[in-house]
Each structure stands twice: as C-alpha cells, then as structure tokens.
Amino acid sequence: MPETVPERRAIPKERSQTCPFDPPATLRELRTQDPVCPVAMADGSSGWLLTRHEDVHAVLGDHRRFSSRGELRNSALDGQVTAARPARPGEINSVDPPEHTRLRRKLSGKFTTSRMAQLSERIAGIVDDALDTMELLGPPVDLVEAFASPIPSLVICELLGVDYAERAEFQERTKAMLTLGASADQFMAAVEEMTGYVTKLVVAKRARPTDDVLSNLAADEELTTEEVARMGLALLAAGHETTAHMLALGTFALLRNPDQLAALRADPDLVNGAVEELLRYLTIAQYGAERSATEDVEVGGRLIRRGDVVVPALMAANRDPERFGDPDVLDVTRQAAGHVAFGFGIHQCLGQQLARVELRIGYKALFQRFPTLRLAVPPEDVPLRTDSITYGLARLPVTWDAVGL
C-alpha cells in the first residue's frame, strides 16, 4: 500500500495580547497531540514542526543529519520571504562543517565567558549612564527608547569598533532585515545595504586598524573582506536587536509578576538565575532555527524524509512540562539550565555570554535605581512587536516615584 501522506497544517504564529509572554496556544496542543507535526512552508513545500524539548534538542544537536546549509531567507514560516538567494561567503549560520568550523573558530575566542566578564565594568558604566538620563528626564519614559535600546547598541558598537553616532542607520536596516512582512526584494535590499555598510568599515579597518573585534577579524589574512563583512553584519545585527528586546520584555514580565520582582529586589543575587528563567520563559527568537534532513531519519516516531525542512519551535520546547515543571509560571528561583533560548549545538548563539552579562547588569541596576518602577499604562495598552523574527515590545511606558536630586 502507498504511504499515507499526513495532512499539513499552517504554522501557528500569533501570541495573545492578554498573555503576551505565552507561545501560541496551538503549540501547547500540538506538543501533546502531534509533537512532530506536518506543516506547510511558505513556498508550498512540506515541513515538520517540533514542539517537544527532547526532539528540538536532538535535532539542533545533530548537524550531520540536520543541515543548516541552504539559502538565505528572512523566514520560511511567514508566507512572503523564502529562498531569496544562496548563502554567500561568511554567512556562518547558513553553512555546515568544515566551513562553519573554520568561521566559528575565528570568532569564538572573542566571545568567551572570561572575556565578557572583563567587559562588565564598562557595561555597568553604560547602564548607569542610561539610568542617569532616565532620572534627569523624569517619569514617565519609554523604557525601550531610554534604556533597552541604547545599552546593547552602545556595547556592540564599542566591541566591534562601530561609530555609535551611526546607530540609526544600522538599526533601521536591521529592523528591515528582521521584519516578517517584508517582501523578498525588501529583505534582500536591507541585507545588501547592511553588507555594504559593514564592508566599508572592514576596508577602513584593514587600512587603519583599531583595538576592536572587527579590526581583529580584518587583520586575519585567511579571511576575505566579504567574509569579514558578513560575519560583522551578523554580529552587529544580533548584538543589539535581541538583547534590547530581552531587556524590555523581561522588565515587562517582572512588572507583571510582582511576587517575582519582589523576590529579586529582596535578593539581588538571584539575578543570574532570573536571567536564565526570563530567557526560557520569553524565548524571543520566534523563527530562524530551520534545518533540512540530510537523510531519512525518525524523530518522535515520525519518518522525516531527506530534504524535508524541520522547524524546531524553541518557545514550545522551553515550555515543555516534561523538561520544566509548571513551565507557564515565571519563577526566578528556578534552575532553568537546559533551555534553548539561544539555540543548541554548533549554531548556538555566539554572543550568548555577552547577552547574559548585559541582562544581569541591566536588570539589577534598573530595579535598584528605581525601586518603585511600574507601568505607566494598563498592561493591555503596552504595544507588542510581533512583526519581527525576534519578539519584543514597540514601547514600554514606565513611571516611578521621583526623588529630588
């Protein structure tokens, strides 16, 4: 008898305004009823959506049978942009070993835990400056504009050697690259404009190097200018956008969970665990972890055919009750190790240690400086940013009891 082809479903995308921290309810249902679910991709091809932590972890950790090599695209899941063009030199997230190993080795030593710890004092200074500005402005303020966005932007600019005065230019292009509603032409135009911008920086740093990551990469004779530019693009884009979303959305989550915020205020040493729990609970990386099967392989009792796209749902995996007890509850005392907010395997986020340092310092300083910080509008009036590969807030109006300087 011929093999029965399972009915394909659309991939659930919507988060609720009333429960903005929770993944789409359909993901919870699929995790119980159909954890390896056949889905229709944007280009009409077949794919498989994984919603259990065990399956997501296994697929992301097996680069031999699940390849990242393919065509650069905004998201195959949204319905507009897919298969834009083949990956080009230096696009580290779209290649497999040994090319991936070669490129990753050039970067990994620059983002070690110890090196990021050495940056703590400077990051703390940047955070304090942002808080000083907030205090001078007085309440209310938009925390996204005043705090969450400028901190990671300035940190990554200093780390890479990019002029912070040009932040508006690369922030707008990054936003265009990550917007789900962009057309293929708009997406590729944003990518190429951003590449051109970083290429000019690389050429300048090869001529007159300074003490920064981009200069160090540019000085490596084994890397071409194009490779350095595209690696730098990835670092610049990811280095400010994702952490900015986490700073704002994490603050929103804590303000919506006053018992957890009270626990963190009472014991600031909880901040390390609180950051891991917020990363698990929020999982702002909504899309972009697709893999393609390099051979026929079974996952969760389903046969995945060679060439099929596999979509690990990170936010569903991080809410799997088989891995995390009471997963829909925010608990800053939880041992959240094992979450996949940064992915897993050889493509796990290179800048995760930098993000952790920024988040720990940022949250701790914010709530110490403004112990009465609270929302300035009803929670349902806080606008979400749902049109991006990374989930976040468009604005976060906050206020506090001002004290005379």
Side-chain angles (χ1 to χ4, degrees), residues 5-10 37-41 44-47:
V5 178
E7 181 180 357
R8 294 183 293 163
R9 306 178 49 144
C37 176
V39 289
M41 307 303 290
S45 62
S46 61

Side-chain angles (χ1 to χ4, degrees), residues 242-309:
T242 53
T243 306
H245 283 326
M246 269 303 304
L247 281 169
L249 196 60
T251 300
F252 187 33
L254 288 167
L255 293 175
R256 290 290 304 273
N257 290 268
D259 58 329
Q260 298 304 301
L261 179 54
L264 185 58
R265 280 173 167 155
D267 184 4
D269 288 340
L270 289 175
V271 69
N272 288 10
V275 165
E276 298 306 313
E277 171 66 349
L278 286 166
L279 287 164
R280 178 202 71 84
Y281 183 69
L282 298 172
T283 317
I284 64 166
Q286 301 187 102
Y287 310 113
E290 299 102 305
R291 301 288 189 268
S292 59
T294 60
E295 59 185 62
D296 291 356
V297 58
E298 185 175 300
V299 177
R302 291 276 203 181
L303 178 62
I304 310 296
R305 294 291 188 184
R306 178 183 178 184
D308 281 357
V309 174

